[in-house]
């Protein structure tokens, strides 16, 4: 019964949105609102295996690379900045300066410095997706329980052991929250970076459809992006439940008490 209830919660809103779109498109005379039949035909004829290999898979590879680098940089730098107050005070003005710059503004600069290849696109993703992870890691380290910190000093738990068994577990809930925020940012920047000086990729393909007034094909590309986002979210939830299993168990015990 619970499984059925959870399943209904998951599919209810998408089903309502699809039904509303079908009713709206059936009554619409606008060229820019395709019907279900047009969308189905465009999706099946456009996103073939060859198109997946040439556009979708390279885009997803750049997305994974940029997100992976963002996670590594955000956690490592966040642990350092959060652990040392003097370093935080030194770097805070610089971080606020670069965080305020939209990554899309720097695309022309990256094109001049790095080129127009995959490195530029990955750099754009990293520049935007790293900040939620970095800032949440810093706050997670700063909010560590002082009693636990003092106890670890008393038992002379220092170095890597302190990071692994005390700092990282304490900051991990906020780190995972930062990664969740970065998922959507990375996906958006992946598309935007492919709209500049590209000859392949999801962003490039969608723009080409829009410029050639291939409206059903354009909407089918947007649906592909949405499906990628849903798959990323599902994978993240599985990883999050595994990494934070102890945290969710603790919260359940506190709520039960």
């Amino acid at each position: 019964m619970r499984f059925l209830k959870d399943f209904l919660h998951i599919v209810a809103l998408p089903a309502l949105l699809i039904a509303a779109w079908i009713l709206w498109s059936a009554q619409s005379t606008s060229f820019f609102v395709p019907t279900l039949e047009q969308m189905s035909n465009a999706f099946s004829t456009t996103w073939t295996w060859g198109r997946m290999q040439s556009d979708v898979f390279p885009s997803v590879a750049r997305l994974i690379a940029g997100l992976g680098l963002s996670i590594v940089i955000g956690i490592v730098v966040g642990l350092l900045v959060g652990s040392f107050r003097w370093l935080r005070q030194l770097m805070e003005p610089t971080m606020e300066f670069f965080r305020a710059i939209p990554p899309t503004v720097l695309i022309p600069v990256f094109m001049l410095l790095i080129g127009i290849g995959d490195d530029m696109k990955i750099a754009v993703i990293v520049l935007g997706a790293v900040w939620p992870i970095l800032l949440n890691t810093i706050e997670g380290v700063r909010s560590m329980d002082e009693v636990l910190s003092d106890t670890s000093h008393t038992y002379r738990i220092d170095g890597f052991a302190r990071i692994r068994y005390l700092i990282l577990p304490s900051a991990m809930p906020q780190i995972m929250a930062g990664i969740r925020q970065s998922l959507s940012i990375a996906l958006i920047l992946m598309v935007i970076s492919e709209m500049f000086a590209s000859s392949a990729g999801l962003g490039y393909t969608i723009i080409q459809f829009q410029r050639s007034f291939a409206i059903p094909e354009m909407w089918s590309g947007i649906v592909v992006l949405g499906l990628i986002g849903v798959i990323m979210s599902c994978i993240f939830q599985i990883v999050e439940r595994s990494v934070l299993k102890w945290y969710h168990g603790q919260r359940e015990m506190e709520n039960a008490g």
Side-chain angles (χ1 to χ4, degrees):
M1 186 67 182
R2 182 179 178 182
F3 172 79
L4 180 60
K5 186 178 180 180
D6 293 339
F7 178 77
L8 289 176
H9 285 165
I10 294 173
V11 302
L13 182 58
L16 288 174
L17 292 175
I18 292 173
W21 169 67
I22 292 174
L23 293 174
W24 181 37
S25 63
Q27 299 176 358
S28 176
T29 58
S30 175
F31 173 73
F32 300 101
V33 183
T35 63
L36 176 62
E37 182 180 0
Q38 291 174 326
M39 278 285 294
S40 301
N41 293 334
F43 196 93
S44 60
T45 57
T46 301
W47 302 104
T48 59
W49 181 250
R51 176 81 70 174
M52 298 286 285
Q53 287 181 312
S54 62
D55 291 324
V56 178
F57 293 159
S59 295
V60 173
R62 288 189 286 266
L63 174 63
I64 294 173
L67 192 59
L69 285 173
S70 300
I71 293 172
V72 172
I73 295 172
I75 293 177
V76 172
V77 177
L79 289 174
L80 291 173
V81 175
S83 300
F84 301 99
R85 180 176 298 178
W86 63 269
L87 184 59
R88 184 167 65 250
Q89 293 174 346
L90 178 66
M91 293 189 63
E92 187 171 4
T94 304
M95 289 192 301
E96 291 297 327
F97 174 81
F98 283 105
R99 187 170 71 92
I101 300 176
T104 52
V105 174
L106 296 178
I107 290 179
V109 178
F110 286 159
M111 290 172 63
L112 294 174
L113 297 178
I114 305 176
I116 59 175
D118 291 346
D119 293 343
M120 181 273 290
K121 299 175 179 63
I122 294 173
V124 172
I125 296 172
V126 172
L127 185 62
V130 72
W131 296 110
I133 304 171
L134 174 60
L135 297 178
N136 276 275
T137 303
I138 293 173
E139 291 304 316
V141 174
R142 291 181 60 187
S143 61
M144 185 175 57
D145 192 341
E146 294 183 1
V147 176
L148 290 176
S149 179
D150 294 339
T151 303
S152 67
H153 282 302
T154 301
Y155 285 97
R156 297 181 180 179
I157 302 176
D158 297 315
F160 182 74
R162 175 180 171 85
I163 295 175
R164 179 181 178 183
Y165 296 109
L166 178 63
I167 298 178
L168 268 180
S170 299
M172 191 55 68
Q174 288 187 256
I175 293 175
M176 297 304 291
I179 295 175
R180 178 183 288 274
Q181 297 173 21
S182 295
L183 292 179
S184 58
I185 296 175
L187 185 60
I188 293 169
L189 292 175
M190 177 203 76
V191 176
I192 295 176
S193 66
E194 292 174 349
M195 293 179 177
F196 294 85
S198 296
S199 58
L202 271 171
Y204 168 81
T205 302
I206 292 173
I207 284 294
Q208 291 302 112
F209 287 149
Q210 183 264 332
R211 290 174 178 173
S212 60
F213 291 95
I215 303 302
E217 289 77 7
M218 180 193 73
W219 280 106
S220 68
I222 296 173
V223 171
V224 171
L225 285 174
L227 292 175
I228 293 174
V230 171
I231 294 172
M232 289 173 55
S233 178
C234 293
I235 294 174
F236 174 80
Q237 290 179 19
I238 295 172
V239 174
E240 183 185 36
R241 282 197 296 267
S242 177
V243 173
L244 297 181
K245 187 176 182 180
W246 62 271
Y247 176 75
H248 294 302
Q250 181 181 355
R251 293 291 298 272
E252 290 178 0
M253 291 179 61
E254 291 175 354
N255 294 331

